[in-house]
């Protein structure tokens, strides 16, 4: 029940949700019910067999297998192809000859999707794990990597590479382009957000951000 808000960030259309419910009810719940009724019949010593019950449970579980296969195939299709967008960041060359990287929190109120109720007074955990907005319509991702490389000239260069996956390379590039990751630069300080938001409209498509910082020799 606590994880239910996350389905809105993955499911694209009603088909995935129907397959997910079919998997939960038919593939998982039906065998449990069948096992329980078998145990009850064994405990009370009911010896007679009912072919109708066995056929019913078998048919429902077969439909559950169909739901599982369709769910895996549909979700896998949404993450089939990668795509990326590459942009050069306009950088003011530091007057000191050194570039300092600082990380900052994203603006807005986000709250952890916390399933551990025993430690609510540990406020350090408010920035850990899955963070949802107040209305549960946006989610923070921390799929960010900073890569330091040697510059080919005497200047600093910063390149922002945004990546995502989808059913086609064109759609994946579209998801990558929707990543809101704002880099700011003031003299010798380069500020990078610790995370970036995705919404129920943009969906989760394994979005990632790579920040390449090229540093001159010396």
């Amino acid at each position: 029940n606590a994880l239910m808000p996350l389905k809105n960030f993955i499911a694209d259309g009603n088909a995935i949700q129907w397959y997910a419910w079919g998997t939960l009810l038919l593939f998982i719940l039906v065998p449990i019910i069948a096992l329980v009724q078998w145990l009850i019949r064994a405990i009370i010593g009911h010896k007679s067999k009912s072919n109708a019950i066995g056929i019913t449970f078998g048919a429902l579980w077969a439909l559950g297998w169909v739901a599982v296969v369709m769910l895996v195939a549909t979700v896998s299709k949404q993450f089939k192809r990668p795509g990326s967008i590459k942009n050069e960041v306009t950088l003011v060359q530091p007057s000191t000859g050194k570039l300092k990287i600082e990380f900052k929190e994203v603006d807005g109120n986000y709250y952890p999707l916390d399933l551990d109720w025993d430690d609510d007074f540990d406020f350090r955990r408010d920035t850990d794990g899955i963070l949802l907005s107040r209305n549960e319509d946006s989610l923070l991702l921390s799929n960010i990597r900073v890569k330091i490389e040697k510059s080919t000239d005497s200047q600093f260069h910063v390149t922002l590479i945004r990546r995502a996956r989808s059913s086609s390379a064109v759609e994946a590039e579209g998801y990558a382009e929707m990543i809101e990751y704002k880099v700011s630069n003031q003299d010798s300080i380069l500020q990078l957000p610790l995370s970036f938001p995705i919404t129920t409209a943009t969906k989760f498509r394994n979005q990632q951000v790579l920040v390449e910082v090229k540093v001159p020799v010396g």
Side-chain angles (χ1 to χ4, degrees):
N1 183 58
L3 295 174
M4 284 296 285
L6 298 183
K7 71 179 178 60
N8 297 323
F9 294 93
I10 299 175
D12 190 6
N14 294 325
I16 293 180
Q17 298 194 44
W18 281 112
Y19 297 147
W21 279 112
T23 299
L24 178 64
L25 297 177
L26 301 178
F27 185 75
I28 298 176
L29 195 58
V30 164
I32 294 175
I33 295 175
L35 179 61
V36 169
Q37 70 90 25
W38 178 82
L39 289 174
I40 292 175
R41 290 164 65 90
I43 291 172
I44 64 177
H46 197 282
K47 300 296 184 179
S48 63
K49 296 181 179 180
S50 175
N51 292 331
I53 293 178
I55 293 173
T56 300
F57 280 125
L60 291 175
W61 201 44
L63 291 175
W65 272 102
V66 174
V68 169
V69 172
M70 294 301 297
L71 177 64
V72 172
T74 306
V75 172
S76 299
K77 182 181 178 182
Q78 298 295 335
F79 295 85
K80 184 179 180 182
R81 299 288 300 277
S84 63
I85 299 294
K86 188 174 183 180
N87 300 105
E88 293 287 335
V89 177
T90 302
L91 190 68
V92 177
Q93 295 299 314
S95 57
T96 60
K98 294 181 179 180
L99 186 67
K100 180 179 181 181
I101 297 178
E102 290 183 351
F103 296 94
K104 62 179 181 178
E105 298 288 346
V106 175
D107 295 333
N109 295 324
Y110 288 87
Y111 304 92
L113 185 67
D114 193 356
L115 305 181
D116 186 3
W117 298 345
D118 297 330
D119 207 4
D120 282 345
F121 288 100
D122 188 358
F123 296 104
R124 295 171 300 176
R125 300 171 71 246
D126 287 349
T127 57
D128 295 339
I130 300 173
L131 298 178
L132 285 171
S133 64
R134 180 182 300 175
N135 298 326
E136 297 184 347
D137 57 357
S138 64
L139 169 73
L140 286 185
L141 291 183
S142 300
N143 294 343
I144 299 167
R145 179 184 168 196
V146 179
K147 185 179 181 181
I148 308 297
E149 293 185 341
K150 183 176 69 173
S151 177
T152 57
D153 53 31
S154 60
Q155 292 187 330
F156 289 89
H157 299 278
V158 177
T159 304
L160 197 63
I161 302 174
R162 294 170 291 173
R163 297 171 175 167
R165 302 187 75 91
S166 189
S167 57
S168 67
V170 174
E171 287 188 5
E173 289 177 0
Y175 281 112
E177 198 166 5
M178 287 189 286
I179 298 175
E180 295 183 9
Y181 191 79
K182 298 180 180 179
V183 177
S184 58
N185 168 232
Q186 292 182 350
D187 190 35
S188 61
I189 298 178
L190 178 68
Q191 285 191 333
L192 303 177
L194 281 169
S195 53
F196 57 90
I198 62 169
T199 66
T200 53
T202 58
K203 304 297 182 184
F204 171 75
R205 293 297 180 265
N206 196 32
Q207 290 91 335
Q208 301 176 356
V209 173
L210 172 63
V211 183
E212 288 186 346
V213 182
K214 295 186 177 180
V215 182
V217 176

